[in-house]
């Protein structure tokens, strides 16, 4: 099973076998940037599908982290406000 690397330029992504150094060099000269992800796959279509899945999961993880990071301070503020109001009544 060969390794595949990914090169992007804007929204265009090209899948290249890791052993295909000539094509990779040609893409770099054209202005493509090499992505950090490398996958094992039977052929290029499976590698591209896996890359899309990896990127989708990264976007979901980023969204979930930011949602939690934005919600937790509000929970703290509301808890402090409730404690202040509770202690103020005594």
């Amino acid at each position: 099973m060969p390794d595949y690397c990914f090169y992007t330029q804007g929204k265009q992504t090209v899948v290249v076998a890791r052993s295909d150094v000539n094509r990779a060099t040609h893409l770099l000269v054209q202005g493509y940037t090499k992505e950090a992800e490398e996958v094992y796959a039977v052929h290029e279509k499976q590698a591209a599908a896996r890359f899309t899945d990896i990127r989708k999961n990264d976007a979901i993880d980023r969204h979930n982290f930011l949602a939690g990071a934005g919600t937790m301070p509000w929970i703290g503020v509301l808890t402090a406000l409730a404690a202040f109001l509770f202690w103020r009544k005594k």
Side-chain angles (χ1 to χ4, degrees):
M1 208 181 284
D3 294 342
Y4 287 98
C5 301
F6 304 97
Y7 294 85
T8 59
Q9 184 178 33
K11 292 187 176 186
Q12 184 178 10
T13 302
V14 178
V15 181
V16 178
R18 189 172 182 180
S19 60
D20 194 356
V21 178
N22 291 333
R23 187 172 176 206
T25 305
H26 184 65
L27 289 172
L28 290 172
V29 169
Q30 289 180 348
Y32 284 80
T33 56
K34 185 177 186 290
E35 296 296 325
E37 292 86 358
E38 294 182 0
V39 298
Y40 297 106
V42 176
H43 50 75
E44 290 182 5
K45 287 184 181 182
Q46 282 185 339
R50 179 67 184 128
F51 180 71
T52 302
D53 188 44
I54 290 169
R55 286 296 174 107
K56 182 180 173 185
N57 287 338
D58 286 347
I60 290 170
D61 290 345
R62 187 177 317 110
H63 176 267
N64 290 341
F65 174 76
L66 293 176
T71 305
M72 291 307 289
W74 282 107
I75 292 172
V77 168
L78 293 175
T79 304
L81 181 63
F84 173 74
L85 292 174
F86 177 74
W87 289 108
R88 186 173 176 205
K89 288 184 178 182
K90 287 186 176 184

